[in-house]
């Protein structure tokens, strides 16, 4: 699934909206070493070079809220 979604992101068929980026971050710390390695390769070797630092900069602050499950902020971590 990671490889398929990565390909869709690379062709701009799917955009980095909603919690998609955070799903990749969670995959980076998955229990399975195979999933971790796939997520790492997809993010660092395919998606990051394509978008430059935009992926990291656009989602950095919100990543802190999402990964810590903090939902009391008025703007961040507000997904339907």
């Amino acid at each position: 699934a990671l490889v398929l979604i990565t390909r869709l992101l690379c062709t701009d068929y799917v955009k980095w909206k909603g919690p998609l980026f955070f799903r990749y971050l969670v995959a980076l710390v998955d229990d399975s070493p195979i999933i971790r390695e796939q997520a790492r390769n997809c993010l660092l070797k395919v998606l990051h070079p394509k978008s430059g630092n935009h992926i990291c900069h656009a989602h950095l602050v919100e990543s802190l809220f999402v990964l810590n499950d903090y939902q009391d902020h008025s703007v961040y971590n507000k997904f339907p």
Side-chain angles (χ1 to χ4, degrees), residues 5 14 40-41 78:
I5 294 170
V14 174
R40 185 176 184 276
N41 287 334
K78 301 293 180 189

Side-chain angles (χ1 to χ4, degrees), residues 23-52:
R23 301 290 183 209
Y24 272 85
L25 292 182
V26 170
L28 287 172
V29 293
D30 194 89
D31 291 336
S32 168
I34 295 170
I35 300 295
R36 285 194 310 260
E37 187 62 27
Q38 273 189 336
R40 185 176 184 276
N41 287 334
C42 289
L43 274 174
L44 297 179
K45 294 183 180 175
V46 178
L47 296 170
H48 187 266
K50 181 184 181 298
S51 70

Side-chain angles (χ1 to χ4, degrees), residues 46-64:
V46 178
L47 296 170
H48 187 266
K50 181 184 181 298
S51 70
N53 286 331
H54 176 71
I55 293 174
C56 299
H57 290 150
H59 300 288
L60 177 66
V61 174
E62 190 157 17
S63 297
L64 298 172

Side-chain angles (χ1 to χ4, degrees), residues 3 12 21 26 48 52 64-65 67:
V3 174
D12 291 326
F21 177 73
V26 170
H48 187 266
L64 298 172
F65 286 92
L67 296 175

